[in-house]
Amino acid sequence: MWERAVSSPAATRFSVGEAARMIGISPSTLRAWEQQGLVRAARSTAGWRRYDAGDVARAREVHRLREVEGLAVHAIARRLRATPTRAPRLAPTRVRGSLGQRLRERRTEQGLSLRAL
């Protein structure tokens, strides 16, 4: 359905509970989204779900589409298929948005909550 970015083994990984808290949803909702193909998680050798920053960012987008735009699961899946999983990087000389917007983008790319930051 969608491609996951390959991350280094040293990348920070979050459990289903940690990822759910960062997004503001229940762990069971995150598991349901995985079953519906909206998000994916890597699995540890013991079979535990492990989410990286990209997985958390995607789940945040699913949450936003669900809560803010009120989309159903099938509409979210269609919207996510229509958009690239990663936004193209802008040239460093180009200024985009306010400082607050850029800081928020950087923080969410890293999968950090305000509290964690």
Side-chain angles (χ1 to χ4, degrees), residues 86-101:
R86 299 260 188 235
R89 292 268 181 203
L90 298 175
T93 57
R94 184 173 174 191
V95 177
R96 57 172 199 222
S98 69
L99 176 61
Q101 289 172 330

Side-chain angles (χ1 to χ4, degrees), residues 11-32:
T12 302
R13 299 282 181 157
F14 306 101
S15 69
V16 67
E18 292 168 332
R21 272 190 301 278
M22 292 167 64
I23 299 161
I25 59 173
S26 69
S28 61
T29 299
L30 192 53
R31 289 185 198 102

Side-chain angles (χ1 to χ4, degrees), residues 5-70:
V6 178
S7 60
S8 67
T12 302
R13 299 282 181 157
F14 306 101
S15 69
V16 67
E18 292 168 332
R21 272 190 301 278
M22 292 167 64
I23 299 161
I25 59 173
S26 69
S28 61
T29 299
L30 192 53
R31 289 185 198 102
W33 289 350
E34 186 178 353
Q35 286 179 338
Q36 295 161 345
L38 298 176
V39 294
R40 284 195 187 155
R43 296 286 182 145
S44 69
T45 55
W48 296 95
R49 289 174 175 87
R50 304 305 289 172
Y51 296 89
D52 64 15
D55 300 326
V56 172
R58 184 173 175 92
R60 278 195 179 113
E61 178 63 10
V62 170
H63 182 58
R64 186 191 70 76
L65 290 170
R66 184 87 177 114
E67 294 298 314
V68 175
E69 296 190 26

Side-chain angles (χ1 to χ4, degrees), residues 98-114:
S98 69
L99 176 61
Q101 289 172 330
R102 292 190 314 245
L103 289 173
R104 180 181 301 130
E105 286 176 11
R106 178 64 61 93
R107 179 180 55 80
T108 56
E109 285 174 1
Q110 307 254 335
L112 293 173
S113 67
L114 285 172

